[in-house]
Amino acid sequence: MQTKTFQVEGADTTLTVHLATTFWQRFCGLMLRHPLPPATALLIAPCNSIHMCFMRFTIDAVYLDEQGKILKITRHLRPWIGLSACWQANSVLEMTAGQADALGLKVGQALQTSYEQ
């Protein structure tokens, strides 16, 4: 799986992002995986809605448009019962619960690729 580093607009914050771009990677997402380390996320693209079936931990979902602008943040989606959508979104970042706040993410901010790894 490809990994990129994103810079948060207006902050001295970087985010390590694993890219889920194939059908199988998008289908699996974070199901049956362990929580991600701090400042790490899974980017599912294209995607505008998620479910929490087969998840082991609570997550934050950050929905992005095609330019990487944050459209919506859904915090603390619970395993098995959580659902979330943002119909205008092009992609969604899934991260361990609490990371959106820890990173200072806000609706309207943009995430930009710093460099490829």
Side-chain angles (χ1 to χ4, degrees):
M1 190 175 294
Q2 187 179 9
T3 301
K4 290 189 176 186
T5 300
F6 284 56
Q7 180 70 38
V8 179
E9 176 185 58
D12 190 25
T13 303
T14 58
L15 181 62
T16 301
V17 177
H18 304 287
L19 306 178
T21 56
T22 68
F23 171 79
W24 188 248
Q25 290 169 340
R26 289 190 318 268
F27 175 78
C28 292
L30 294 177
M31 290 189 302
L32 303 175
R33 293 179 53 180
H34 296 287
L36 296 171
T40 304
L42 177 70
L43 179 69
I44 303 174
C47 181
N48 64 10
S49 63
I50 60 172
H51 66 82
M52 296 296 289
C53 294
F54 302 102
M55 290 289 293
R56 295 179 172 180
F57 57 97
T58 305
I59 67 168
D60 290 342
V62 179
Y63 292 92
L64 308 172
D65 68 11
E66 290 183 21
Q67 290 74 42
K69 181 179 170 184
I70 299 174
L71 300 175
K72 177 182 177 181
I73 301 172
T74 304
R75 292 169 175 82
H76 300 280
L77 281 167
R78 294 174 48 200
W80 288 98
I81 61 173
L83 294 171
S84 180
C86 178
W87 304 126
Q88 301 82 17
N90 175 267
S91 59
V92 62
L93 282 170
E94 295 183 344
M95 57 188 69
T96 303
Q99 284 300 294
D101 288 337
L103 295 167
L105 300 182
K106 295 178 180 24
V107 172
Q109 281 181 317
L111 302 179
Q112 298 149 349
T113 305
S114 295
Y115 58 87
E116 287 192 36
Q117 295 180 338

